[in-house]
Amino acid sequence: MNLTQFRFETDADGIATATWDMPGRSMNVITPEVMAELAQIVETVASDPAVKGCVIASGKEAFSGGADLAMLQRLGDEYRTLAGEKGEDEAMRFFFEESRRLSLIYRRLETCGKPFAAAVHGLCLGGAFELALACHYRVLSSDETTRVGLPEILVGLFPGAGGTQRMPRLMQTGDALQLLFKGSQTKAQMAKAMGLAHEAAPREEIVEKAKAWIKAGGSPVAPWDQPKFKAPSGKVYSPAGMMIWPPANAIYRRETHDNYPAAKAILQSVYEGLQLPMDAALRVESRYFAKILRSREAAMMIRSLFLSKGELEKGARRPKSVPPTKLGTVGIVGAGFMGAGIAYVTANAGMEVVLLDRDMEAAEKGKAHSQKLLTDQVNKGRTTSARRAEVLGRITPSADYADLAPCDLVIEAVFEDPKVKDEVIRKIEGAIRPDCILASNTSTLPISGLAKSSGRPDEFIGIHFFSPVDKMLLVEIILGKRTGDAALAAALDYVRAIRKTPIVVNDSRGFFANRCVTAYILEGHLMLGEGVPPAMIENLAKMAGMPVGPLSLNDEVGIDLALRVLRATEAQIGPEAINPIQREILLAMVEKEDRLGRKNAKGFYDYPEKGRGPKRLWPGLSALQPKTLDPDSIDQREIEDRFLVAQALEAARTVEEGVVTDPREADVGSILGFGFAPFTGGALSYIDGMGAKAFVKKAKALEAKHGPRFKPGKLLLDMAEKGETFYGRAAEKRAA
């Protein structure tokens, strides 16, 4: 065999080891070359009498992250090209056979007559875990880093190489469906308890234990290929089966609102497959996989949540002329909730942190936030006491600006008030080194204005975190008018170090994310003023694809903050910049009712003490509505459209104004930052997917009924006339 992706060796006992170790890559991924070599290995093992069986292991720190999704995207491109050249039928035959190629290789491995065992350490996800499931025996490393799972649903796909068939034959159907729907990752011991693995052992022993199983006469026949096999949950059409499928269908509809074709395909594939022999079941899975792989939702989600996200994380916007930034110590000024969260993610990434506030008590309180987060992880078994002590040891509380002297980067995270920030920025500048980058964590205040407080505006930049910092993946980097490449490079290097996803935007009030979020929350407030029942507002927003309703989101960010931002906008731009209906609602909530949101357990929702029970919409909301509409008279589709179109229009305005210069950043930012309907691929992909002409028509219909906030801008009108897309325009710009 001529192998480059694998190493193949046979020991004195006749047991082969295929070590997956792709050259030039930090992690193994499934590519056409990998599939071809794996097929060779299977045939060699099957045909060579001297080989008793084979262990598949990895030469990397992780086993594999799964398939190269760019490969799947190229397969879709080939399908469209072939459809144009030879017709739809020929293209579909090609697409179906190519999309099931991996599934057929795994099935050949499973039925070749020789035992295969997987020795897994580190991440083993997607198609790689499907490879492990096809092996007759699985030994997982008991190391904390080992995780297995099928996360395809998170990028609009579903497992297409046997995952939907083998998993429900190894464990209870309900549990398998839950793992498939959530795309969750499972540790070694839990995987063993679930029946997904046979052994968990120290890393250095997994290959030998896999070999020992083969040497002891391990069976080359999978359980489902044995004549008397019975699925763990019994037959689909049985009393036990009927306890699973009606609730599963209800849960699917509740969680997806039919917005995610891949989730429906999982349900159908498992349901139909469990009624068939394995080969027929795998063919059913392959048909659903081919269908989903061709869907618009999968194409958009793969592009935004895998390809674009990966490109941005690897530095697509980083100035290439600037050398890597050395970030040994980072200063955080302001130890409140946001500053404390930034200190935690920074220390957790291995950097030293100086956490500064007006006095030591406040600074220590900020450090205590990290103590709590880490203790919760220790209690849940997600980290160790030693690791907690190590991270906390990197955080130094302080009340003395002189302690910022050794910092390579300082982030101010004080109260969102220009005067307060001006004073703090000046104090920071008096203490830091000349080559230290200074950043502001502001959510609304223009960076160019704050940079006036700095004597070095070229080394001043915005780094906007989202709350809660430890959970939110997005960081918005804001360029002021005079921000230089060194500051941008340092900010991007820092965001990469803390393992978050950056988007780079130009300066404006609200930047990108908050402008879109503001449009979403405004729509909820106006619907409340129109008399739409509050529960209907919230539920239809979720049916449109948003993770939470606008009223719930406003509670999270703070109703008093929304009022403060509205007043600041009115003071700086004028009364025409705000909506009087929203103003009255916010004034009534904050000043008359003292309902500030989750922070004081009273907002649009009532929050039970210490999380005892679910939150419930505040009954007093009806008093804020001058009238109440009959729910049956409300056009539900129009409500859903209003939520998405309002945000997409604002995203398009940021492009027209030059705030956003790359559609990848708008799409990734809209999904990770505020949960814009992920199945659309993001705010701009929502427009591109519909077509600018159709989107403009929809926006104009809403404008005629609901006012000028739905008026499409000149850019969208031009795109509609010329048949352009945001991504097409960006590609032309790059080519020029």
Side-chain angles (χ1 to χ4, degrees):
M1 287 187 294
N2 183 21
L3 304 176
T4 58
Q5 314 298 317
F6 291 85
R7 297 191 301 273
F8 188 82
E9 301 164 325
T10 305
D11 66 15
D13 294 315
I15 299 171
T17 302
T19 305
W20 188 3
D21 196 0
M22 300 178 75
R25 287 182 181 260
S26 59
M27 180 178 280
N28 295 321
V29 293
I30 298 168
T31 64
E33 294 77 20
V34 167
M35 286 192 279
E37 291 191 12
L38 183 60
Q40 281 188 63
I41 290 168
V42 171
E43 295 308 323
T44 297
V45 171
S47 62
D48 189 342
V51 178
K52 294 180 180 177
C54 182
V55 175
I56 299 178
S58 170
K60 309 288 187 188
E61 274 303 302
F63 190 83
S64 168
D68 178 3
L69 294 188
M71 170 186 72
L72 299 181
Q73 190 182 54
R74 287 193 295 273
L75 184 59
D77 294 339
E78 290 176 32
Y79 162 78
R80 285 183 285 274
T81 300
L82 196 59
E85 293 175 353
K86 297 189 177 181
E88 185 72 22
D89 289 347
E90 182 65 29
M92 196 60 237
R93 275 192 291 272
F94 162 82
F95 189 83
F96 175 66
E97 292 304 329
E98 284 298 306
S99 66
R100 71 188 297 240
R101 184 178 163 199
L102 188 62
S103 182
L104 292 174
I105 292 170
Y106 289 174
R107 183 59 174 159
R108 172 60 180 151
L109 177 154
E110 191 172 55
T111 58
C112 74
K114 296 281 183 72
F116 275 79
V120 174
H121 169 74
L123 288 179
C124 179
L125 305 176
F129 186 45
E130 289 176 292
L131 169 59
L133 291 175
C135 290
H136 306 97
Y137 199 74
R138 292 168 291 283
V139 185
L140 306 188
S141 157
S142 53
D143 191 275
E144 185 68 21
T145 62
T146 297
R147 299 279 196 286
V148 298
L150 299 172
E152 287 88 343
I153 190 72
L154 302 178
V155 289
L157 289 175
F158 86 114
T164 68
Q165 301 310 312
R166 293 186 177 94
M167 189 178 274
R169 286 169 169 79
L170 288 169
M171 61 193 301
Q172 293 292 321
T173 304
D175 295 336
L177 286 171
Q178 188 174 33
L179 290 178
L180 289 165
F181 280 153
K182 290 184 176 180
S184 51
Q185 300 176 17
T186 306
K187 291 183 181 181
Q189 290 293 349
M190 180 60 73
K192 181 184 175 185
M194 288 177 168
L196 297 176
H198 298 88
E199 284 190 76
R203 177 182 184 178
E204 60 273 13
E205 297 178 14
I206 58 174
V207 172
E208 289 307 315
K209 285 188 175 293
K211 283 185 174 184
W213 173 80
I214 295 174
K215 188 175 180 180
S219 172
V221 181
W224 36 86
D225 289 323
Q226 295 173 3
K228 296 183 179 180
F229 172 74
K230 292 182 179 179
S233 293
K235 295 181 179 180
V236 168
Y237 284 100
S238 68
M242 288 302 102
M243 294 295 287
I244 294 168
W245 290 102
N249 188 53
I251 291 168
Y252 153 75
R253 293 191 177 278
R254 183 191 70 194
E255 296 298 319
T256 70
H257 302 291
D258 260 344
N259 287 324
Y260 294 87
K264 187 174 185 178
I266 286 172
L267 201 64
Q268 293 171 307
S269 186
V270 175
Y271 176 76
E272 294 173 26
L274 282 175
Q275 301 176 61
L276 298 168
M278 180 56 87
D279 287 305
L282 289 172
R283 191 171 182 86
V284 166
E285 179 192 73
S286 293
R287 291 200 177 281
Y288 280 118
F289 181 67
K291 177 182 177 182
I292 295 305
L293 195 54
R294 290 171 53 239
S295 69
R296 186 168 78 184
E297 290 84 357
M300 295 299 189
M301 290 180 74
I302 288 172
R303 182 173 70 183
S304 293
L305 293 175
F306 180 76
L307 299 175
S308 295
K309 180 174 177 286
E311 289 159 3
L312 295 175
E313 288 171 346
K314 291 174 184 174
R317 293 294 306 278
R318 191 187 187 283
K320 294 180 174 58
S321 60
V322 181
T325 313
K326 294 179 181 178
L327 295 169
T329 303
V330 176
I332 315 293
V333 180
F337 184 66
M338 291 300 292
I342 299 169
Y344 166 73
V345 298
T346 306
N348 199 43
M351 288 168 272
E352 296 295 321
V353 175
V354 177
L355 182 57
L356 189 145
D357 212 306
R358 61 185 178 275
D359 54 48
M360 282 300 292
E361 183 181 355
E364 291 283 4
K365 184 178 178 182
K367 181 175 179 176
H369 177 72
S370 294
Q371 171 90 31
K372 182 181 184 305
L373 290 175
L374 289 160
T375 299
D376 288 346
Q377 292 175 36
V378 170
N379 292 339
K380 293 174 183 177
R382 294 176 182 171
T383 193
T384 63
S385 298
R387 169 69 179 166
R388 175 178 60 190
E390 179 187 336
V391 174
L392 290 174
R394 296 194 191 109
I395 302 175
T396 303
S398 173
D400 187 350
Y401 279 84
D403 289 339
L404 299 174
C407 293
D408 304 297
L409 168 71
V410 173
I411 303 170
E412 70 80 7
V414 299
F415 189 66
E416 197 83 346
D417 182 301
K419 292 180 180 178
V420 175
K421 287 188 180 287
D422 172 73
E423 181 183 350
V424 168
I425 290 168
R426 292 180 189 278
K427 287 182 178 179
I428 293 171
E429 290 234 324
I432 59 177
R433 301 193 319 258
D435 61 338
C436 177
I437 301 299
L438 177 52
S440 174
N441 173 56
T442 176
S443 57
T444 56
L445 299 175
I447 290 299
S448 298
L450 294 176
K452 292 176 182 177
S453 304
S454 167
R456 303 170 302 148
D458 59 316
E459 295 184 340
F460 190 88
I461 195 165
I463 301 181
H464 173 212
F465 287 86
F466 294 78
S467 180
V469 177
D470 59 297
K471 293 181 180 177
M472 297 297 285
L473 295 175
L474 186 72
V475 176
E476 199 172 27
I477 295 174
I478 305 103
L479 299 175
K481 290 179 181 177
R482 296 176 61 184
T483 301
D485 283 353
L488 174 57
L492 287 169
D493 289 346
Y494 168 69
V495 172
R496 186 173 189 176
I498 60 173
R499 295 181 290 278
K500 293 190 181 291
T501 304
I503 63 170
V504 180
V505 302
N506 289 317
D507 202 10
S508 79
R509 174 170 288 278
F511 318 126
F512 169 73
N514 278 351
R515 285 178 59 167
C516 298
V517 167
T518 298
Y520 176 55
I521 291 175
L522 169 64
E523 215 55 38
H525 292 164
L526 296 184
M527 289 174 187
L528 197 65
E530 292 164 15
V532 179
M536 200 169 187
I537 294 171
E538 298 290 89
N539 288 330
L540 288 175
K542 288 186 278 190
M543 288 175 69
M546 298 301 293
V548 296
L551 306 181
S552 178
L553 181 59
N554 199 172
D555 274 2
E556 294 297 328
V557 300
I559 303 173
D560 56 332
L561 176 60
L563 179 59
R564 194 157 62 241
V565 170
L566 182 140
R567 281 174 164 162
T569 303
E570 182 178 21
Q572 293 182 21
I573 302 176
E576 70 280 358
I578 66 167
N579 189 292
I581 296 173
Q582 182 182 41
R583 185 177 187 275
E584 289 306 310
I585 289 172
L586 293 177
L587 281 171
M589 291 292 287
V590 175
E591 297 189 349
K592 293 181 182 177
E593 303 291 345
D594 189 35
R595 301 189 72 86
L596 310 181
R598 186 181 278 277
K599 65 176 68 176
N600 74 337
K602 298 186 299 180
F604 291 103
Y605 285 79
D606 283 322
Y607 297 86
E609 288 185 20
K610 297 180 181 178
R612 294 171 184 165
K615 64 182 183 182
R616 298 188 184 281
L617 282 161
W618 177 44
L621 287 176
S622 58
L624 300 181
Q625 296 182 290
K627 60 179 179 179
T628 302
L629 297 177
D630 177 4
D632 291 334
S633 70
I634 296 170
D635 184 338
Q636 296 186 20
R637 181 72 250 182
E638 182 184 289
I639 295 286
E640 292 178 36
D641 284 345
R642 283 173 64 180
F643 283 128
L644 299 188
V645 171
Q647 295 176 80
L649 279 169
E650 195 60 36
R653 290 182 192 114
T654 66
V655 175
E656 187 167 3
E657 295 167 18
V659 176
V660 170
T661 59
D662 188 326
R664 294 176 298 182
E665 292 174 311
D667 279 342
V668 172
S670 63
I671 295 174
L672 299 187
F674 48 94
F676 185 91
F679 65 90
T680 67
L684 296 186
S685 282
Y686 171 68
I687 298 173
D688 278 0
M690 188 185 306
K693 187 174 182 180
F695 179 82
V696 164
K697 182 180 179 181
K698 189 184 289 282
K700 284 185 173 180
L702 291 172
E703 179 192 5
K705 190 170 182 180
H706 298 286
R709 67 184 182 280
F710 287 104
K711 182 178 181 179
K714 184 179 184 303
L715 173 62
L716 279 172
L717 295 174
D718 289 346
M719 288 173 60
E721 185 179 338
K722 297 174 184 175
E724 292 180 332
T725 64
F726 285 103
Y727 279 85
R729 285 167 55 88
E732 288 177 9
K733 187 177 178 181
R734 283 195 295 271

